[in-house]
Amino acid sequence: MRILVHGSQLLYPTNTGGRIRTSNLFEQLAKEHDITWLCLRRPEETDAQVEAMRACCSRIETFPFVETEKFTLPFYKELAGNLVSSRPFVIEKYHQPALRARIAELLRPGQSPAYDLLLCDFLQPSLNVMDLPFSPRILFQHNVESVIFERHYQERKLGPAKAYLYLQWRKLLAYEARAAHWFDHNIMVSDEDVATMDRLYGAKNCSSIPTGVDAEYYQPMGEEAASNDIVFTGSMDWLPNVDGITWFASEILPLIKRALPVKIWVVGRKPAAAVKELAAKHPEIEVTGTVDDVRPYIGKARVYMVPLRIGGGTRMKIYEAMAMGKPVVSTRIGAEGLPVKDGRDIALADSPADFAARIVQLLGNAEQRRTLGNAGRRLCTENFSWQSVARRFTEICEEVVATRVGATRAGATRGGSSDVGASGNRPTAAAGTR
């Protein structure tokens, strides 16, 4: 296949869940298919990061993108400006007319060789391809984005922020519904997300792929710390992570401290001001900011935690910790979409008291830590290699293309000719759910 991919970002370094998932999939896909990648490039990103993309594609084009720092005055001004728009802020901020024009040029009928597939990575940049006269087209949805905003809205206390989140949630519902039906197919990252797309939008054109992990890279590292170290990793400017760690600090950490002394490592890029402030308020918390490698932090921890109350898709961070043999304590939302079982390969708890109790129990029992950690690693190594996930992803793409080719040939036999894409394929009913 010859595939044109539009993503919102470069994929290296692989320091976010989305980058990890997409890079692993497309490194496999690029071995057999011809991939062109168009994406945004931030000012701080280097030529070396662009060159690293050769692992995922044959050609790459980037377009300059300046993202306003979150939680600053200019950021809030942008949020205020979005009030008059019918489109949600997280969609509108990625709209680039020059990028859209270039994609349209590449997909124009008569271009040789023609692309077989248009694929958009994440919902956020999809406005740059929406309504272009090309098919087949696939949206790779790492989350059901409206669900994340719904949960943000539900967790907020009454006030202007809650009202704003409500408006964004409603805008996202409308936009996500339109995108779900405009794309011929949606690839989701869990069966739960497939069911949610059907429930919210009646979208039957969805398939799921499992979450993968590189169990050779993420391996047990030997001795854990002598102290009661707990670690949480992730992009610390992502709102669900910010909410999760602040909730942990205010509601759960005091309960743990009543039982035993602990050290909390918050590891991840671009920590928001609210996250940095936690270290000042709580001497037990260490906020690292960006690190070259999260494995040493996970490796020395006695417990890995995922105190998320908001989210969607799946959390690859859980599989990474499991692959390193670490016992994981998570909320059910934090482990949503993963085939894990409480007490077998993970510890699940939702209330502050239960979450604290599960952590305290594991910190106090080395045998339980080993048993849970070994079970988690076994689950990852036996079932979730990136090679197997990429094969399923490729199969879905090939089936969508084959369905379009078959429909085009049938239409040509009947003499039809309307709405033909650059590949010569005409949109028809989307491929069914599997």
Side-chain angles (χ1 to χ4, degrees), residues 145-164:
E145 298 295 338
S146 61
V147 169
I148 295 176
F149 274 77
E150 179 184 14
R151 289 171 175 168
H152 272 303
Y153 161 72
Q154 291 171 341
E155 292 295 337
R156 282 281 182 171
K157 296 179 180 179
L158 288 175
K162 188 176 183 73
Y164 190 88

Side-chain angles (χ1 to χ4, degrees), residues 257-298:
K257 288 165 57 178
R258 292 177 189 174
L260 41 75
V262 290
K263 178 71 173 180
I264 312 299
W265 294 90
V266 180
V267 183
R269 66 178 197 135
K270 296 182 178 180
V275 176
K276 293 178 182 177
E277 290 170 4
L278 296 177
K281 294 179 181 178
H282 305 276
E284 302 84 4
I285 295 179
E286 181 81 21
V287 178
T288 68
T290 301
V291 298
D292 293 331
D293 189 348
V294 300
R295 291 175 299 170
Y297 296 90
I298 299 174

Side-chain angles (χ1 to χ4, degrees), residues 1 3 115-120 134-140 182-188 204-208 392-408 423 425-434:
M1 293 182 293
I3 307 171
Y115 287 96
D116 300 298
L117 176 66
L118 168 65
L119 191 147
C120 185
F134 179 90
S135 182
R137 53 217 180 209
I138 289 177
L139 176 61
F140 184 21
W182 183 79
F183 283 93
D184 298 309
H185 206 80
N186 300 272
I187 299 179
M188 316 303 295
K204 307 294 184 182
N205 56 337
C206 300
S207 302
S208 68
R392 180 66 192 127
F393 187 89
T394 304
E395 287 170 359
I396 295 171
C397 292
E398 290 174 341
E399 289 166 10
V400 171
V401 170
T403 298
R404 287 297 176 191
V405 170
T408 300
S423 65
N425 299 331
R426 183 186 329 120
T428 61
T433 305
R434 57 180 63 81

Side-chain angles (χ1 to χ4, degrees), residues 39-99:
C39 70
L40 302 171
R41 178 179 177 179
R42 287 133 177 98
E44 69 273 14
E45 292 178 319
T46 66
D47 291 343
Q49 287 173 259
V50 176
E51 189 60 29
M53 290 293 297
R54 303 294 179 184
C56 314
C57 59
S58 303
R59 290 165 297 281
I60 179 168
E61 295 184 28
T62 64
F63 291 76
F65 176 61
V66 178
E67 187 172 17
T68 304
E69 184 179 353
K70 292 179 180 178
F71 314 118
T72 61
L73 181 58
F75 174 74
Y76 289 118
K77 287 181 178 179
E78 287 185 5
L79 294 182
N82 183 255
L83 288 170
V84 299
S85 174
S86 62
R87 296 190 291 254
F89 177 75
V90 295
I91 302 297
E92 198 162 58
K93 68 181 285 188
Y94 291 106
H95 184 218
Q96 294 274 341
L99 174 53

